[in-house]
């Protein structure tokens, strides 16, 4: 195996958290590992709503923190919420200085949208639904000007070198041939910014490569994983048969759009006092139940926004039109889809994981900010805050300010994981670990994951996926209550007192999976060939 050592910091990922970490580490030398051209395959670029920040004089970081904790259903760490919301304004100003074209009013003030579970309008946006793309455009352009940053595109991390206590390197393969013998790259420090896990579900709004591989890598290396069971399902994925599903941003409901069923009836008013602006988990379950009942839920923007949707929300309009839906004259068909993973690699306020040498930020990390239910548009904010925290912490350990470029000879000729196996894994997760869960479905899911891993586990990439899937399902089975985005139909009540964060290592989750597999093997094994 080819082994390359470098004094550069190795950043794994090509989205917002990865790019911002690299910028904040400048002038320290960095090498970024991006599977696709920088930013193009990341969830960050698809983010529509914007960045939550108390920019208006009538708002405050304290109010933002309170909303974050209320939405998180008792599982948010107050210290983290206050840390993030205090930093929010600085990051918006920094993004503006770096060239992000946020929407402004005639006086130059930021235009802010109202989104679910926010007590005031505090989401800074770009052209209604273009925030992620515009932020990534500006930061990527700035990154290209930094001589300290080397970007290796077309390389995919498939594993971490670890002795169970410390990460000392990352195994890389070509993006188009991840089954080849990997190259080992050892850096001065290693930052995991690979994105989340929502692509592990058959119904998802995430890019195709965001399937929990980074979290799975870290778990297989021995990292502790927090809050794995908390998957946020977005209530208004556009239900037109695309994979991944286009998103109808929550800002539409902030502008007055309503949810109706096939009979033209609003259904959120009878579910929650805040109706369409209830916390996402509440709205997602209501949409899911309408779908399951055959009531074909839809988002109606006609009265509230009308023809202005074309200019105010161009991405939503384009997604509708290419599928034969005119949102000016027709309701938009919607469904609940896996959108964001609140869980991930457990980190502290400096972004340090439980393994020395490994930091994590962005959706791959679980910082304690989101609890059981992420407050709308806090995701990009968390990525910014903890990317800077990682950079500052790592910079304190570095002495090198110059380093030669990394030269890798990536092999060719490998294969992707079996597409049918990946498709089956995604369906298992949607069927058994979806919006509404119960013990029987979670046990069946764990059993099927075990079978799929045994049949297709030669692929490192697939084992990373099944590791994350196992952690999600095991943590969901172990949490015998309903809290935030985790809803158990067989345990519908929320336990009294403050919420408890889950904390697992992969061995613990696999032990539970193995026990269930032994008990139910005859029911979940595929039939023998005849």
């Amino acid at each position: 195996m080819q082994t390359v050592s470098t004094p550069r910091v190795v950043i794994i990922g090509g989205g917002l958290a990865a790019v911002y970490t690299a910028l904040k580490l400048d002038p320290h030398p960095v090498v970024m590992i991006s599977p696709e051209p920088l930013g193009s395959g990341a969830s960050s670029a698809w983010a529509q709503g914007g960045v939550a920040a108390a920019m208006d004089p009538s708002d405050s970081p304290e109010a933002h923190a309170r909303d974050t904790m209320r939405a998180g259903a008792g599982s948010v760490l107050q210290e983290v919420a206050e840390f993030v919301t205090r930093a929010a304004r600085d990051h918006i100003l920094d993004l503006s200085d770096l060239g992000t074209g946020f929407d402004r009013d005639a006086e130059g003030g930021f235009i802010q949208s109202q989104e679910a579970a926010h007590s005031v309008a505090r989401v800074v946006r770009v052209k209604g639904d273009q925030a992620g793309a515009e932020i990534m455009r500006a930061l990527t352009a700035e990154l290209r000007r930094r001589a300290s940053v080397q970007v290796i595109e077309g390389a995919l991390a498939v594993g971490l070198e670890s002795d169970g206590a410390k990460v000392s390197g990352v195994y890389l393969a070509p993006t188009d041939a991840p089954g080849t013998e990997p190259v080992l790259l050892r850096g001065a420090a290693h930052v995991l910014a690979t994105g989340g896990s929502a692509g592990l579900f058959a119904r998802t709004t995430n890019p195709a490569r965001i399937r929990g591989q980074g979290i799975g890598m870290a778990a297989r290396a021995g990292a502790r994983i927090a809050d794995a069971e908390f998957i946020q399902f977005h209530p208004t994925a556009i239900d037109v048969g695309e994979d991944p599903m286009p998103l109808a941003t929550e800002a539409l409901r902030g502008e007055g759009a309503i949810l109706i069923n096939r009979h033209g009836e609003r259904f959120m008013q009878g579910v929650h006092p805040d109706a369409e602006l209830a916390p996402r988990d509440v709205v997602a379950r209501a949409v899911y139940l309408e779908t399951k009942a055959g009531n074909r839920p839809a988002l109606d923007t006609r009265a509230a926004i009308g023809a202005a949707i074309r200019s105010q929300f161009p991405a939503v309009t384009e997604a509708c039109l290419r599928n034969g839906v005119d949102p000016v004259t027709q309701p938009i068909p919607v469904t609940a889809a896996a959108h964001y993973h609140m869980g991930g690699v457990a980190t502290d306020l400096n972004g340090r994981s439980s393994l020395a040498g490994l930091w994590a930020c962005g959706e791959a990390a679980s910082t304690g900010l989101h609890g059981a239910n992420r407050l709308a548009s806090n995701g990009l904010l968390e990525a910014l805050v903890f990317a800077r925290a990682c950079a500052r912490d790592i910079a304190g350990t570095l002495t090198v300010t110059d380093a030669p470029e990394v030269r890798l000879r990536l092999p060719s000729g490998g294969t992707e994981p079996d597409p049918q196996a990946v498709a089956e894994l995604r369906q298992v997760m949607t069927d058994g670990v979806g919006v509404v869960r119960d013990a029987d479905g979670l046990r069946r899911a764990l059993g099927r994951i075990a079978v799929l891993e045994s049949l297709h586990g030669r692929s490192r990439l697939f084992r990373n996926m099944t590791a994350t899937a196992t952690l999600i399902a095991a943590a969901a089975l172990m949490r015998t209550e309903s809290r935030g985005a985790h809803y158990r139909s067989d345990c519908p009540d929320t336990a009294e007192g403050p919420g408890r964060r889950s904390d697992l290592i992969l061995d613990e989750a696999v032990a539970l999976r193995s026990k269930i597999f032994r008990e139910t093997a005859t029911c979940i094994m595929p039939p023998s060939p005849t």
Side-chain angles (χ1 to χ4, degrees):
M1 179 185 294
Q2 180 191 166
T3 300
V4 177
S5 296
T6 177
R8 291 176 178 266
V9 175
V10 178
I11 299 176
I12 310 163
L16 175 61
V19 171
Y20 205 60
T21 303
L23 287 171
K24 295 306 172 185
L25 274 166
D26 186 55
H28 297 288
V30 163
V31 57
M32 297 181 66
I33 308 299
S34 181
E36 287 95 4
L38 205 58
S40 63
S43 297
S44 313
W46 291 21
Q48 292 184 350
V51 185
M55 304 300 290
D56 191 274
S58 64
D59 196 8
S60 69
E62 292 76 20
H64 186 181
R66 285 194 298 272
D67 287 350
T68 297
M69 295 181 68
R70 184 165 52 248
S75 294
V76 173
L77 297 180
Q78 182 174 347
E79 177 188 25
V80 176
E82 292 173 349
F83 173 70
V84 171
T85 58
R86 282 197 305 267
R89 180 180 179 84
D90 287 346
H91 286 287
I92 296 298
L93 298 177
D94 188 38
L95 291 179
S96 295
D97 290 343
L98 291 170
T100 304
F102 289 116
D103 292 350
R104 306 248 187 180
D105 59 27
E107 288 73 42
F110 293 98
I111 296 175
Q112 296 187 267
S113 297
Q114 175 90 41
E115 292 192 4
H118 286 275
S119 56
V120 298
R122 66 160 67 91
V123 178
V124 182
R125 67 189 198 188
V126 179
K127 296 178 183 175
D129 59 9
Q130 301 286 296
E134 170 61 11
I135 292 169
M136 287 303 298
R137 181 207 61 76
L139 296 191
T140 300
E142 180 64 27
L143 189 79
R144 299 292 190 190
R145 292 191 282 268
R146 303 291 178 95
S148 63
V149 181
Q150 178 188 359
V151 180
I152 297 177
E153 297 174 335
L156 182 68
V158 296
L160 297 173
E161 182 185 46
S162 170
D163 61 5
K166 179 180 180 179
V167 167
S168 50
V170 55
Y171 294 100
L172 304 175
T175 298
D176 58 359
T180 58
E181 179 73 11
V183 173
L184 175 59
L185 176 62
R186 292 174 173 153
H190 307 84
V191 180
L192 191 72
T194 50
S197 309
L200 278 173
F201 292 76
R203 286 176 170 254
T204 182
T205 63
N206 280 199
R209 206 174 294 282
I210 307 299
R211 291 179 178 161
Q213 300 97 317
I215 295 169
M217 275 194 307
R220 289 176 57 210
R224 303 204 69 87
I225 307 300
D227 289 346
E229 66 271 38
F230 294 125
I231 301 286
Q232 187 168 74
F233 295 87
H234 200 290
T236 55
I238 303 175
D239 191 10
V240 286
E242 291 189 15
D243 179 27
M245 306 180 84
L247 186 66
T249 173
E250 198 156 289
L252 291 163
R253 284 175 280 139
E255 294 293 324
I258 58 173
L259 285 163
I260 60 174
N261 58 27
R262 66 186 177 92
H263 306 294
E265 303 164 340
R266 283 183 76 179
F267 55 85
M268 281 307 303
Q269 289 173 308
V271 175
H272 192 279
D274 293 335
E276 282 81 6
L277 291 179
R280 275 190 183 173
D281 62 301
V282 175
V283 185
R285 279 193 296 277
V287 168
Y288 169 81
L289 292 172
E290 290 289 324
T291 302
K292 193 172 182 182
N295 285 333
R296 191 65 168 151
L299 184 68
D300 192 348
T301 66
R302 293 174 295 180
I305 304 172
I309 192 171
R310 296 185 183 123
S311 58
Q312 292 181 14
F313 299 96
V316 174
T317 301
E318 196 278 327
C320 289
L321 292 177
R322 71 172 178 258
N323 288 285
V325 177
D326 183 352
V328 177
T329 60
Q330 299 169 273
I332 303 167
V334 295
T335 191
H339 180 61
Y340 190 92
H341 195 181
M342 279 80 76
V345 178
T347 63
D348 63 14
L349 287 176
N350 293 312
R352 294 190 180 204
S353 75
S354 61
L355 301 176
L358 180 68
W359 286 255
C361 55
E363 200 174 339
S366 182
T367 66
L369 175 67
H370 304 307
N373 188 45
R374 177 179 66 113
L375 182 65
S377 292
N378 265 359
L380 295 183
L381 174 61
E382 181 196 43
L384 294 164
V385 172
F386 280 92
R388 186 173 71 178
C390 287
R392 286 177 171 175
D393 194 52
I394 293 168
T397 71
L398 303 175
T399 56
V400 175
T401 56
D402 189 29
E405 284 202 346
V406 173
R407 301 294 182 187
L408 298 178
R409 297 188 307 277
L410 293 175
S412 59
T415 58
E416 293 271 1
D418 182 350
Q420 186 57 43
V422 174
E424 185 172 349
L425 176 62
R426 295 177 68 202
Q427 194 60 55
V428 165
M429 293 299 287
T430 288
D431 291 345
V433 200
V435 179
V436 176
R437 305 161 171 176
D438 61 34
D440 288 344
L442 292 166
R443 290 169 66 86
R444 282 194 300 271
L446 282 165
R448 285 303 305 162
I449 294 165
V451 171
L452 288 167
E453 187 176 286
S454 70
L455 294 174
H456 305 282
R458 289 183 301 276
S459 164
R460 287 175 182 252
L461 208 55
F462 191 71
R463 288 203 307 275
N464 292 337
M465 295 181 203
T466 56
T468 303
T470 297
L471 284 155
I472 294 169
L477 183 60
M478 294 166 71
R479 185 174 288 278
T480 53
E481 64 162 350
S482 291
R483 185 178 293 274
H486 168 71
Y487 184 80
R488 290 273 299 261
S489 60
D490 55 345
C491 305
D493 297 326
T494 300
E496 294 183 3
R500 169 185 55 83
R501 297 191 74 202
S502 66
D503 181 42
L504 280 174
I505 58 171
L506 182 59
D507 286 351
E508 294 166 340
V510 169
L512 176 60
R513 187 185 73 181
S514 298
K515 178 176 181 291
I516 290 168
F517 179 77
R518 289 193 300 270
E519 293 170 352
T520 60
T522 57
C523 300
I524 59 178
M525 286 296 289
S528 301
T530 56

